[in-house]
Amino acid sequence: MSNNAYAAAAIAVMAGITLSLRVLPFAVFGKTKTPAFIEFLGKFLPYAIMGMLVVYCLKGVSFGSAPFGIPEGIAVALVVLLHVWKRNTLLSIVGGTAGYMLLMQMVG
């Protein structure tokens, strides 16, 4: 199989899986009322995932040696400030990531 055919097949499989995941809830629940457990997950799971991502991202930070976690701390503060200011998750993530990368280039 050529590289182009392989890439096309991989994209087709990924698109099919993504479409299936989007259609599955409607196929399972149809027009019925969404179960309370699913509504609970939809309300609280995003916050739990974000908390886990913060822990994962900060787990390797060394506070005992230079730069002492300062770039990470500033990036976290930037994310919080952007989110409180604009209430836009995408802006918060992109702004925090850009700020962290800029700080790492300046410090590292």
Side-chain angles (χ1 to χ4, degrees):
M1 184 181 296
S2 71
N3 285 341
N4 289 339
Y6 181 78
I11 291 170
V13 168
M14 288 184 279
I17 290 171
T18 301
L19 180 63
S20 299
L21 290 173
R22 300 289 188 254
V23 171
L24 185 65
F26 297 104
V28 171
F29 298 117
K31 296 281 184 185
T32 63
K33 182 172 175 4
T34 306
F37 179 69
I38 301 298
E39 288 182 3
F40 171 81
L41 288 177
K43 185 175 182 181
F44 292 103
L45 200 55
Y47 299 111
I49 292 170
M50 290 303 289
M52 288 174 57
L53 285 172
V54 168
V55 170
Y56 177 77
C57 290
L58 297 178
K59 72 178 173 66
V61 177
S62 175
F63 296 103
S65 60
F68 306 105
I70 294 171
E72 291 85 356
I74 292 172
V76 168
L78 181 61
V79 169
V80 170
L81 289 173
L82 284 172
H83 194 71
V84 167
W85 178 44
K86 288 292 186 177
R87 298 273 185 223
N88 185 327
T89 305
L90 183 61
L91 175 66
S92 303
I93 292 169
V94 170
T97 302
Y100 174 73
M101 291 298 159
L102 182 66
L103 286 167
M104 290 308 292
Q105 291 298 318
M106 291 171 36
V107 173

